[in-house]
Amino acid sequence: FWDLGSGTGKAVMAAGLCRHFAHVRGVELLPCTAGIAAVLCDDFARDVLPGARPSSNPLRSIAVERGDFFQPACLAQWQAGDFVFCNCVTWDDATLERLSAAAEGLRPGAVFVTV
């Protein structure tokens, strides 16, 4: 699970509770927001996750990182994902067009959800 423009990481943490995802990651451009999200994800992993998922299907990693999901290194990572989420209701048309073009690089069978 990838959340592009993850803000404070709420979707990342919600995905972490779902048994469908082994790894959940978020990418946030704003440094302060990404910092808050990283602390919240650490707290979530420590205080909520233990016992929230069956031991036969644990969450292997959860993180929100500060970054630009259009940068080549980050782009390659999320394009290799199985499920990409993006709450982009406030984004401008130029950004949405770039995102659409980048999403065409997702692996076959991947799911891309925008709101």
XYZ file of all heavy atoms in Angstrom:
856
model
N 0.848 -1.184 0.000
C 0.000 0.000 0.000
C 0.882 1.232 0.000
O 1.793 1.345 0.811
C -0.904 0.003 1.238
C -1.767 1.228 1.359
C -3.044 1.231 0.822
C -1.317 2.370 2.005
C -3.846 2.352 0.939
C -2.107 3.486 2.125
C -3.386 3.490 1.594
N 0.600 2.127 -0.912
C 1.279 3.420 -0.981
C 0.242 4.526 -0.909
O -0.792 4.454 -1.578
C 2.053 3.559 -2.287
C 3.362 2.868 -2.277
C 3.622 1.572 -2.595
C 4.616 3.443 -1.916
N 4.944 1.297 -2.458
C 5.584 2.438 -2.046
C 5.015 4.712 -1.500
C 6.924 2.648 -1.773
C 6.345 4.927 -1.235
C 7.287 3.903 -1.367
N 0.510 5.556 -0.114
C -0.326 6.743 -0.048
C 0.522 7.917 -0.516
O 1.494 8.292 0.145
C -0.828 6.959 1.380
C -1.755 8.163 1.515
O -2.108 8.772 0.482
O -2.123 8.490 2.652
N 0.160 8.489 -1.645
C 0.904 9.601 -2.218
C 0.304 10.915 -1.729
O -0.891 11.152 -1.898
C 0.860 9.543 -3.745
C 1.277 8.211 -4.373
C 1.180 8.303 -5.882
C 2.673 7.816 -3.927
N 1.137 11.744 -1.115
C 0.631 12.958 -0.490
C -0.113 12.591 0.777
O -1.255 12.954 1.005
N 0.559 11.837 1.631
C -0.082 11.155 2.759
C -0.453 12.036 3.941
O -1.092 11.557 4.866
C 0.802 10.005 3.231
O 2.061 10.492 3.616
N -0.051 13.294 3.932
C -0.424 14.159 5.049
C 0.078 13.597 6.359
O 1.237 13.197 6.477
N -0.789 13.542 7.336
C -0.399 13.049 8.664
C -0.454 11.532 8.783
O -0.241 10.990 9.856
C -1.264 13.685 9.773
O -2.639 13.413 9.499
C -1.024 15.184 9.853
N -0.742 10.842 7.692
C -0.644 9.383 7.682
C -1.881 8.608 8.071
O -1.805 7.398 8.310
N -3.038 9.256 8.110
C -4.249 8.543 8.529
C -4.570 7.349 7.623
O -4.886 6.266 8.117
C -5.443 9.489 8.599
C -5.361 10.454 9.770
C -6.601 11.303 9.869
C -6.457 12.463 8.910
N -7.516 13.456 9.047
N -4.473 7.538 6.314
C -4.760 6.420 5.397
C -3.712 5.321 5.536
O -4.030 4.135 5.416
C -4.830 6.913 3.953
N -2.478 5.701 5.804
C -1.402 4.716 6.000
C -1.720 3.841 7.214
O -1.617 2.612 7.153
C -0.040 5.427 6.159
C 1.049 4.437 6.543
C 0.330 6.171 4.885
N -2.115 4.476 8.306
C -2.430 3.706 9.516
C -3.677 2.857 9.335
O -3.713 1.703 9.784
C -2.555 4.648 10.710
C -1.218 5.242 11.106
S -1.300 6.388 12.484
C -1.707 7.906 11.633
N -4.691 3.375 8.647
C -5.893 2.580 8.381
C -5.537 1.360 7.530
O -6.010 0.249 7.802
C -6.942 3.435 7.685
N -4.698 1.554 6.528
C -4.271 0.427 5.694
C -3.473 -0.588 6.508
O -3.538 -1.789 6.249
C -3.442 0.929 4.514
N -2.737 -0.101 7.502
C -1.964 -0.991 8.357
C -2.822 -1.960 9.150
O -2.359 -3.027 9.548
N -4.070 -1.595 9.363
C -4.988 -2.486 10.074
C -5.594 -3.547 9.153
O -6.137 -4.537 9.632
C -6.107 -1.679 10.728
C -5.674 -0.769 11.866
C -6.850 0.097 12.312
C -5.122 -1.566 13.037
N -5.522 -3.316 7.860
C -6.100 -4.252 6.887
C -5.176 -5.440 6.670
O -3.984 -5.264 6.449
C -6.342 -3.550 5.558
S -7.529 -2.222 5.665
N -5.714 -6.595 6.668
C -4.914 -7.804 6.497
C -4.390 -7.967 5.082
O -3.553 -8.812 4.808
C -5.712 -9.034 6.903
C -6.925 -9.266 6.045
C -7.677 -10.525 6.450
N -8.866 -10.694 5.666
C -8.896 -11.197 4.430
N -7.786 -11.583 3.860
N -10.033 -11.313 3.779
N -4.864 -7.141 4.160
C -4.487 -7.264 2.754
C -3.086 -6.739 2.448
O -2.540 -7.043 1.393
C -5.488 -6.527 1.869
C -6.896 -6.961 2.085
N -7.360 -8.189 1.690
C -7.931 -6.345 2.691
C -8.625 -8.306 2.030
N -8.991 -7.201 2.640
N -2.520 -5.941 3.343
C -1.242 -5.293 3.065
C -0.179 -5.737 4.055
O -0.393 -5.696 5.266
C -1.385 -3.774 3.132
C -2.475 -3.233 2.252
C -3.579 -2.596 2.798
C -2.408 -3.373 0.877
C -4.590 -2.101 2.002
C -3.416 -2.885 0.062
C -4.510 -2.246 0.627
N 0.975 -6.126 3.535
C 2.106 -6.498 4.393
C 2.990 -5.289 4.685
O 3.644 -5.224 5.716
C 2.936 -7.590 3.738
N 3.009 -4.338 3.752
C 3.823 -3.131 3.892
C 2.939 -1.937 3.550
O 2.226 -1.967 2.536
C 5.014 -3.161 2.930
C 5.873 -4.370 3.090
N 6.865 -4.446 4.038
C 5.871 -5.564 2.440
C 7.449 -5.623 3.957
N 6.859 -6.323 2.997
N 2.981 -0.903 4.367
C 2.244 0.326 4.085
C 3.207 1.499 4.169
O 3.995 1.603 5.106
C 1.018 0.506 5.008
C -0.018 -0.572 4.749
C 1.395 0.502 6.466
N 3.148 2.357 3.149
C 4.078 3.488 3.065
C 3.339 4.727 2.616
O 2.432 4.648 1.796
C 5.180 3.208 2.040
C 5.952 1.945 2.242
C 7.326 2.094 2.823
N 8.140 3.187 2.397
C 9.122 3.126 1.512
N 9.382 1.989 0.890
N 9.852 4.187 1.251
N 3.766 5.846 3.133
C 3.248 7.127 2.694
C 4.387 8.032 2.297
O 5.503 7.907 2.816
N 4.113 8.952 1.393
C 5.082 9.949 0.965
C 4.407 11.309 1.079
O 3.309 11.512 0.538
C 5.519 9.725 -0.499
C 6.531 10.774 -0.915
C 6.079 8.339 -0.694
N 5.053 12.217 1.804
C 4.508 13.555 2.015
C 5.572 14.588 1.687
O 6.708 14.481 2.139
C 4.029 13.716 3.463
C 3.595 15.101 3.846
C 2.494 15.680 2.966
O 1.557 14.940 2.601
O 2.589 16.874 2.628
N 5.191 15.600 0.921
C 6.117 16.637 0.481
C 6.458 17.644 1.586
O 7.600 18.084 1.698
C 5.520 17.379 -0.727
C 6.380 18.432 -1.390
C 7.644 17.799 -1.984
C 5.588 19.138 -2.485
N 5.490 17.994 2.406
C 5.706 19.030 3.423
C 6.490 18.477 4.614
O 6.052 17.510 5.255
C 4.367 19.586 3.899
C 3.499 20.231 2.811
C 2.140 20.607 3.362
C 4.207 21.434 2.213
N 7.632 19.075 4.928
C 8.503 18.532 5.977
C 7.833 18.408 7.355
O 7.959 17.367 7.998
C 9.676 19.509 6.033
C 9.663 20.212 4.727
C 8.245 20.235 4.267
N 7.138 19.432 7.797
C 6.523 19.371 9.136
C 5.432 18.309 9.193
O 5.331 17.557 10.163
C 5.960 20.732 9.530
S 7.233 21.951 9.874
N 4.634 18.238 8.140
C 3.554 17.254 8.097
C 4.126 15.839 8.053
O 3.632 14.938 8.734
C 2.640 17.512 6.890
O 2.203 18.874 6.929
C 1.436 16.611 6.907
N 5.171 15.646 7.272
C 5.815 14.328 7.204
C 6.411 13.947 8.554
O 6.348 12.778 8.954
C 6.897 14.319 6.125
N 6.985 14.906 9.254
C 7.533 14.639 10.584
C 6.462 14.216 11.569
O 6.659 13.274 12.355
N 5.335 14.905 11.545
C 4.212 14.535 12.420
C 3.738 13.130 12.076
O 3.503 12.299 12.964
C 3.064 15.558 12.289
C 3.488 16.903 12.893
C 1.784 15.043 12.920
C 2.570 18.055 12.533
N 3.604 12.850 10.788
C 3.142 11.525 10.355
C 4.094 10.423 10.801
O 3.652 9.347 11.221
C 2.982 11.503 8.835
N 5.398 10.679 10.717
C 6.374 9.667 11.131
C 6.216 9.341 12.617
O 6.242 8.162 13.008
C 7.790 10.148 10.836
N 6.022 10.359 13.445
C 5.822 10.138 14.887
C 4.522 9.381 15.125
O 4.484 8.422 15.918
C 5.832 11.483 15.650
C 5.385 11.299 17.089
C 7.212 12.112 15.600
N 3.458 9.772 14.439
C 2.178 9.086 14.614
C 2.254 7.623 14.182
O 1.693 6.753 14.851
C 1.078 9.811 13.834
C 0.677 11.190 14.369
C -0.303 11.867 13.417
C 0.083 11.074 15.760
N 2.954 7.350 13.093
C 3.100 5.954 12.641
C 3.920 5.136 13.635
O 3.598 3.969 13.882
C 3.722 5.904 11.252
S 2.553 6.302 9.948
N 4.952 5.734 14.204
C 5.728 5.029 15.239
C 4.848 4.706 16.441
O 4.883 3.593 16.968
C 6.928 5.867 15.684
C 8.021 5.950 14.645
O 8.004 5.149 13.681
O 8.904 6.825 14.787
N 4.059 5.690 16.893
C 3.145 5.463 18.018
C 2.115 4.391 17.675
O 1.809 3.530 18.502
C 2.428 6.761 18.402
C 3.334 7.781 19.053
O 4.511 7.452 19.352
O 2.880 8.934 19.242
N 1.591 4.447 16.468
C 0.612 3.471 16.001
C 1.203 2.055 16.019
O 0.574 1.112 16.507
C 0.168 3.862 14.591
C -0.777 2.903 13.931
C -2.129 2.928 14.221
C -0.311 1.998 12.992
C -2.998 2.055 13.594
C -1.175 1.127 12.361
C -2.523 1.150 12.669
N 2.416 1.938 15.491
C 3.074 0.623 15.448
C 3.329 0.088 16.854
O 3.223 -1.113 17.093
C 4.373 0.717 14.657
N 3.646 0.961 17.777
C 3.945 0.551 19.141
C 2.673 0.278 19.954
O 2.596 -0.713 20.692
C 4.778 1.637 19.836
C 5.185 1.274 21.268
C 5.777 2.456 22.030
N 4.744 3.473 22.219
C 4.879 4.752 21.852
N 5.972 5.187 21.281
N 3.896 5.603 22.046
N 1.672 1.151 19.827
C 0.527 1.109 20.736
C -0.728 0.440 20.176
O -1.544 -0.054 20.942
C 0.145 2.535 21.168
C 1.273 3.240 21.889
O 2.120 2.562 22.499
O 1.311 4.491 21.843
N -0.891 0.426 18.878
C -2.135 -0.080 18.292
C -1.944 -1.428 17.603
O -2.750 -2.337 17.781
C -2.729 0.948 17.297
C -3.971 0.404 16.620
C -3.034 2.261 18.005
N -0.889 -1.553 16.810
C -0.719 -2.763 16.006
C -0.573 -4.060 16.787
O -1.130 -5.070 16.366
C 0.462 -2.617 15.055
C 0.148 -1.880 13.758
C 1.402 -1.774 12.903
C -0.954 -2.554 12.986
N 0.147 -4.069 17.903
C 0.252 -5.352 18.618
C -1.139 -5.878 18.984
O -1.917 -5.222 19.651
C 1.051 -5.004 19.869
C 1.845 -3.801 19.477
C 0.935 -3.021 18.556
N -1.449 -7.021 18.453
C -2.746 -7.630 18.715
C -3.838 -7.195 17.758
O -4.929 -7.754 17.787
N -3.584 -6.208 16.900
C -4.620 -5.722 15.987
C -4.733 -6.577 14.731
O -5.758 -6.564 14.069
C -4.347 -4.270 15.590
N -3.676 -7.304 14.426
C -3.685 -8.199 13.263
C -3.261 -9.589 13.724
O -2.510 -9.725 14.678
C -2.712 -7.693 12.190
C -3.223 -6.451 11.484
C -2.261 -5.907 10.484
N -1.765 -6.855 9.505
C -1.486 -6.553 8.253
N -1.670 -5.337 7.805
N -1.009 -7.456 7.427
N -3.732 -10.621 13.034
C -3.349 -11.969 13.437
C -1.852 -12.190 13.269
O -1.224 -11.663 12.341
C -4.144 -12.871 12.496
C -4.649 -12.008 11.411
C -4.621 -10.595 11.874
N -1.267 -12.957 14.153
C 0.175 -13.213 14.087
C 0.563 -13.959 12.813
O 1.701 -13.896 12.371
C 0.633 -13.998 15.322
O -0.054 -15.229 15.401
N -0.400 -14.629 12.200
C -0.118 -15.342 10.949
C -0.033 -14.385 9.753
O 0.399 -14.772 8.678
C -1.202 -16.385 10.681
O -2.464 -15.753 10.558
N -0.452 -13.131 9.959
C -0.453 -12.146 8.878
C -0.045 -10.776 9.431
O -0.828 -9.838 9.404
C -1.841 -12.079 8.233
C -1.867 -11.214 7.000
O -0.833 -10.892 6.427
N -3.052 -10.827 6.586
N 1.184 -10.653 9.921
C 1.587 -9.390 10.552
C 1.874 -8.294 9.525
O 2.166 -8.577 8.357
C 2.875 -9.773 11.274
C 3.461 -10.851 10.418
C 2.263 -11.631 9.912
N 1.796 -7.069 9.973
C 2.250 -5.949 9.159
C 3.763 -5.921 9.262
O 4.328 -5.865 10.348
C 1.654 -4.639 9.677
C 2.026 -3.391 8.880
C 1.481 -3.480 7.460
C 1.483 -2.155 9.575
N 4.441 -5.982 8.146
C 5.901 -6.072 8.139
C 6.582 -4.706 8.220
O 7.672 -4.595 8.752
C 6.362 -6.829 6.916
C 5.780 -8.240 6.888
C 6.545 -9.154 5.994
N 5.909 -10.452 5.829
C 5.889 -11.409 6.735
N 6.442 -11.227 7.901
N 5.306 -12.564 6.493
N 5.924 -3.665 7.684
C 6.506 -2.323 7.794
C 5.433 -1.266 7.612
O 4.460 -1.464 6.897
C 7.623 -2.127 6.762
O 7.101 -2.141 5.447
N 5.644 -0.148 8.304
C 4.773 1.013 8.180
C 5.646 2.249 8.299
O 6.508 2.324 9.182
C 3.651 1.023 9.242
C 2.739 2.249 9.054
C 4.208 0.931 10.652
C 1.483 2.213 9.911
N 5.461 3.202 7.401
C 6.272 4.417 7.449
C 5.647 5.504 6.585
O 4.991 5.224 5.587
C 7.680 4.138 6.941
N 5.865 6.739 7.001
C 5.608 7.907 6.163
C 6.924 8.647 6.068
O 7.569 8.909 7.081
C 4.511 8.820 6.739
C 4.423 10.114 5.932
C 3.165 8.112 6.757
N 7.325 8.936 4.854
C 8.603 9.602 4.621
C 8.377 10.931 3.940
O 7.420 11.097 3.177
C 9.495 8.718 3.747
C 9.797 7.378 4.379
C 10.458 6.413 3.414
O 10.658 6.777 2.243
O 10.764 5.300 3.847
N 9.259 11.860 4.192
C 9.223 13.136 3.508
C 9.852 12.945 2.144
O 10.939 12.379 2.003
C 10.005 14.191 4.293
C 9.784 15.597 3.760
C 11.116 16.192 3.297
N 10.912 17.477 2.664
C 10.959 17.652 1.342
N 11.176 16.638 0.546
N 10.784 18.840 0.815
N 9.148 13.354 1.104
C 9.703 13.215 -0.228
C 8.739 13.685 -1.291
O 7.605 14.060 -1.017
N 9.223 13.652 -2.504
C 8.452 14.029 -3.681
C 8.220 12.761 -4.494
O 9.168 12.170 -5.017
C 9.246 15.057 -4.488
C 8.542 15.532 -5.741
O 7.552 14.890 -6.162
O 8.991 16.542 -6.306
N 6.989 12.329 -4.595
C 6.717 11.054 -5.261
C 6.928 11.101 -6.768
O 6.839 10.086 -7.431
C 5.336 10.504 -4.913
C 4.185 11.434 -5.179
C 3.707 11.634 -6.459
C 3.567 12.083 -4.131
C 2.639 12.475 -6.697
C 2.495 12.925 -4.351
C 2.028 13.128 -5.642
N 7.257 12.257 -7.310
C 7.623 12.351 -8.718
C 9.129 12.173 -8.941
O 9.567 12.004 -10.074
C 7.194 13.693 -9.322
C 5.704 13.834 -9.498
C 5.025 14.895 -8.928
C 4.987 12.919 -10.251
C 3.662 15.039 -9.095
C 3.615 13.054 -10.424
C 2.948 14.128 -9.844
N 9.915 12.209 -7.880
C 11.355 12.017 -8.025
C 11.629 10.560 -8.412
O 10.963 9.643 -7.927
C 12.092 12.371 -6.732
C 12.073 13.852 -6.427
C 12.729 14.667 -7.536
O 13.832 14.365 -7.971
N 12.026 15.688 -8.010
N 12.614 10.337 -9.288
C 12.824 8.992 -9.856
C 12.919 7.846 -8.840
O 12.306 6.798 -9.053
C 14.122 9.143 -10.645
C 14.153 10.586 -11.027
C 13.535 11.319 -9.863
N 13.652 8.022 -7.759
C 13.810 6.921 -6.797
C 12.477 6.565 -6.145
O 12.126 5.379 -6.025
C 14.845 7.273 -5.744
N 11.731 7.576 -5.728
C 10.435 7.339 -5.094
C 9.427 6.827 -6.121
O 8.660 5.898 -5.843
C 9.940 8.621 -4.433
S 8.445 8.382 -3.465
N 9.442 7.399 -7.295
C 8.542 6.992 -8.365
C 8.680 5.501 -8.667
O 7.684 4.770 -8.756
C 8.830 7.826 -9.615
C 7.981 7.576 -10.847
C 6.539 7.974 -10.597
C 8.552 8.345 -12.028
N 9.896 5.043 -8.784
C 10.137 3.621 -9.073
C 9.595 2.731 -7.967
O 9.080 1.637 -8.235
C 11.630 3.374 -9.272
N 9.680 3.193 -6.713
C 9.192 2.378 -5.595
C 7.677 2.234 -5.630
O 7.153 1.125 -5.515
C 9.645 2.964 -4.271
C 11.122 2.829 -4.031
C 11.539 3.435 -2.702
O 10.777 4.135 -2.032
N 12.767 3.183 -2.315
N 6.953 3.354 -5.758
C 5.499 3.213 -5.712
C 4.934 2.604 -6.992
O 3.892 1.952 -6.951
C 4.790 4.494 -5.295
C 4.799 5.679 -6.208
C 5.613 6.764 -6.112
C 3.912 5.950 -7.315
N 5.299 7.681 -7.093
C 4.256 7.203 -7.841
C 2.873 5.237 -7.909
C 3.599 7.773 -8.926
C 2.210 5.799 -8.992
C 2.575 7.054 -9.488
N 5.632 2.768 -8.116
C 5.165 2.128 -9.345
C 5.271 0.603 -9.267
O 4.590 -0.101 -9.999
C 5.944 2.645 -10.554
C 5.519 4.029 -10.988
C 6.330 4.539 -12.150
O 7.515 4.241 -12.289
N 5.700 5.333 -13.001
N 6.092 0.106 -8.370
C 6.222 -1.340 -8.171
C 5.201 -1.870 -7.164
O 5.138 -3.068 -6.919
C 7.639 -1.677 -7.704
N 4.395 -0.985 -6.587
C 3.431 -1.389 -5.566
C 2.212 -2.085 -6.129
O 1.941 -2.061 -7.336
N 1.458 -2.700 -5.220
C 0.231 -3.399 -5.585
C -0.997 -2.499 -5.519
O -1.955 -2.692 -6.254
C -0.018 -4.584 -4.642
C 1.032 -5.648 -4.750
O 1.484 -5.917 -5.880
O 1.400 -6.219 -3.716
N -0.964 -1.539 -4.586
C -2.134 -0.692 -4.338
C -1.624 0.704 -4.012
O -0.886 0.883 -3.052
C -2.946 -1.253 -3.158
C -4.286 -0.604 -2.983
C -5.435 -1.239 -3.425
C -4.408 0.627 -2.369
C -6.683 -0.647 -3.259
C -5.648 1.221 -2.194
C -6.790 0.586 -2.645
N -2.042 1.678 -4.807
C -1.608 3.066 -4.612
C -2.851 3.916 -4.403
O -3.799 3.864 -5.179
C -0.795 3.580 -5.823
C -0.349 5.012 -5.594
C 0.405 2.678 -6.074
N -2.830 4.716 -3.336
C -3.947 5.587 -2.969
C -3.482 7.033 -3.009
O -2.343 7.333 -2.643
C -4.437 5.236 -1.553
C -5.444 6.207 -1.008
C -6.756 6.181 -1.456
C -5.084 7.134 -0.053
C -7.688 7.087 -0.959
C -6.003 8.033 0.458
C -7.315 8.005 0.008
N -4.383 7.916 -3.405
C -4.033 9.319 -3.472
C -5.284 10.165 -3.261
O -6.212 10.107 -4.056
C -3.411 9.604 -4.835
S -2.797 11.255 -4.987
N -5.313 10.920 -2.170
C -6.383 11.879 -1.935
C -5.909 13.202 -2.516
O -5.143 13.925 -1.890
C -6.678 11.997 -0.437
C -7.853 12.905 -0.162
O -8.310 13.656 -1.021
N -8.341 12.844 1.060
N -6.353 13.500 -3.724
C -5.806 14.626 -4.478
C -6.858 15.665 -4.841
O -6.737 16.343 -5.859
C -5.094 14.100 -5.719
S -6.083 12.969 -6.716
N -7.865 15.825 -4.009
C -8.973 16.724 -4.340
C -8.552 18.190 -4.444
O -9.219 18.963 -5.119
C -10.155 16.573 -3.352
C -10.768 15.188 -3.440
C -9.738 16.894 -1.930
N -7.466 18.573 -3.811
C -7.048 19.977 -3.848
C -5.912 20.236 -4.836
O -5.424 21.355 -4.927
C -6.588 20.443 -2.450
O -5.450 19.662 -2.050
C -7.698 20.293 -1.426
N -5.504 19.231 -5.574
C -4.351 19.380 -6.471
C -4.771 20.032 -7.785
O -5.901 19.845 -8.254
C -3.703 18.029 -6.722
C -3.138 17.412 -5.477
C -3.205 17.898 -4.197
C -2.446 16.187 -5.391
N -2.588 17.042 -3.336
C -2.106 15.980 -4.033
C -2.081 15.234 -6.312
C -1.408 14.868 -3.590
C -1.383 14.119 -5.882
C -1.049 13.941 -4.534
N -3.839 20.752 -8.391
C -4.140 21.435 -9.649
C -4.088 20.454 -10.828
O -3.604 19.327 -10.714
C -3.204 22.621 -9.872
C -1.740 22.229 -9.991
O -1.428 21.080 -10.377
O -0.887 23.085 -9.705
N -4.606 20.911 -11.964
C -4.695 20.053 -13.142
C -3.328 19.566 -13.625
O -3.189 18.417 -14.044
C -5.413 20.784 -14.281
C -6.899 20.960 -14.017
O -7.442 20.251 -13.144
O -7.516 21.805 -14.693
N -2.323 20.438 -13.575
C -0.991 20.047 -14.048
C -0.428 18.900 -13.210
O 0.150 17.951 -13.754
C -0.041 21.243 -14.018
N -0.625 18.956 -11.898
C -0.145 17.885 -11.014
C -0.906 16.590 -11.286
O -0.305 15.510 -11.330
C -0.274 18.298 -9.538
O 0.451 19.511 -9.330
C 0.256 17.225 -8.610
N -2.210 16.707 -11.488
C -3.016 15.515 -11.776
C -2.623 14.878 -13.104
O -2.608 13.646 -13.227
C -4.503 15.859 -11.755
C -5.060 16.243 -10.391
C -6.511 16.702 -10.516
C -4.943 15.097 -9.406
N -2.281 15.693 -14.075
C -1.828 15.143 -15.354
C -0.493 14.412 -15.198
O -0.297 13.336 -15.769
C -1.729 16.255 -16.399
C -3.093 16.737 -16.857
C -3.016 17.902 -17.828
O -1.932 18.155 -18.401
O -4.056 18.559 -18.012
N 0.418 14.997 -14.413
C 1.695 14.312 -14.143
C 1.454 13.008 -13.411
O 2.089 11.988 -13.693
C 2.609 15.203 -13.286
C 3.314 16.287 -14.033
C 4.259 17.039 -13.126
N 5.458 16.247 -12.829
C 6.311 16.528 -11.860
N 6.109 17.562 -11.066
N 7.362 15.774 -11.661
N 0.546 13.029 -12.439
C 0.231 11.828 -11.664
C -0.366 10.750 -12.568
O 0.000 9.580 -12.473
C -0.730 12.180 -10.531
C -1.143 11.050 -9.603
C 0.065 10.489 -8.863
C -2.190 11.540 -8.622
N -1.261 11.145 -13.452
C -1.867 10.189 -14.376
C -0.815 9.543 -15.263
O -0.820 8.313 -15.459
C -2.919 10.903 -15.227
O -3.477 10.021 -16.165
N 0.085 10.357 -15.782
C 1.156 9.813 -16.626
C 2.052 8.870 -15.833
O 2.440 7.804 -16.322
C 1.977 10.951 -17.228
N 2.365 9.238 -14.590
C 3.207 8.381 -13.750
C 2.494 7.078 -13.411
O 3.114 6.008 -13.367
C 3.602 9.116 -12.469
N 1.177 7.140 -13.196
C 0.409 5.937 -12.846
C 0.381 4.934 -13.997
O 0.207 3.734 -13.763
C -1.005 6.318 -12.440
N 0.578 5.398 -15.214
C 0.631 4.480 -16.341
C 1.826 3.535 -16.235
O 1.854 2.490 -16.876
C 0.671 5.256 -17.658
C -0.643 5.937 -17.962
C -0.623 6.720 -19.254
O 0.305 6.530 -20.070
O -1.540 7.534 -19.447
N 2.800 3.899 -15.397
C 3.966 3.046 -15.197
C 3.788 1.982 -14.125
O 4.725 1.239 -13.829
N 2.605 1.910 -13.521
C 2.347 0.862 -12.525
C 2.439 -0.509 -13.173
O 2.137 -0.676 -14.352
C 0.955 1.041 -11.903
C 0.814 2.158 -10.890
C -0.659 2.457 -10.634
C 1.515 1.801 -9.595
N 2.823 -1.476 -12.367
C 2.937 -2.840 -12.885
C 1.550 -3.365 -13.242
O 0.540 -2.915 -12.677
C 3.617 -3.739 -11.861
C 2.840 -3.920 -10.599
C 3.452 -4.995 -9.713
N 2.502 -5.365 -8.698
C 1.418 -6.094 -8.899
N 1.123 -6.554 -10.084
N 0.600 -6.383 -7.909
N 1.455 -4.302 -14.157
C 0.155 -4.882 -14.517
C -0.537 -5.483 -13.297
O 0.096 -6.143 -12.474
C 0.523 -5.977 -15.534
C 1.820 -5.527 -16.104
C 2.553 -4.845 -14.966
N -1.819 -5.217 -13.172
C -2.600 -5.750 -12.060
C -2.639 -4.858 -10.840
O -3.417 -5.109 -9.917
N -1.839 -3.813 -10.803
C -1.839 -2.899 -9.668
C -3.129 -2.076 -9.676
O -3.737 -1.845 -10.724
C -0.626 -1.988 -9.715
N -3.517 -1.635 -8.486
C -4.721 -0.818 -8.327
C -4.303 0.594 -7.951
O -3.465 0.775 -7.057
C -5.633 -1.415 -7.233
C -6.831 -0.521 -6.979
C -6.074 -2.818 -7.613
N -4.897 1.582 -8.610
C -4.612 2.993 -8.335
C -5.928 3.680 -8.013
O -6.837 3.711 -8.851
C -3.945 3.633 -9.551
C -3.442 5.020 -9.311
C -2.336 5.232 -8.510
C -4.041 6.113 -9.891
C -1.842 6.509 -8.289
C -3.572 7.390 -9.669
C -2.468 7.594 -8.873
N -6.050 4.196 -6.801
C -7.292 4.815 -6.345
C -7.035 6.289 -6.057
O -6.102 6.618 -5.307
C -7.821 4.130 -5.064
C -9.057 4.842 -4.537
C -8.118 2.665 -5.324
N -7.849 7.155 -6.633
C -7.768 8.576 -6.328
C -9.107 9.052 -5.792
O -10.159 8.513 -6.126
C -7.409 9.424 -7.565
O -8.417 9.257 -8.559
C -6.057 9.037 -8.117
N -9.033 10.056 -4.952
C -10.235 10.688 -4.397
C -10.161 12.151 -4.734
O -9.132 12.772 -4.623
C -10.298 10.509 -2.862
C -11.496 11.221 -2.293
C -10.309 9.058 -2.505
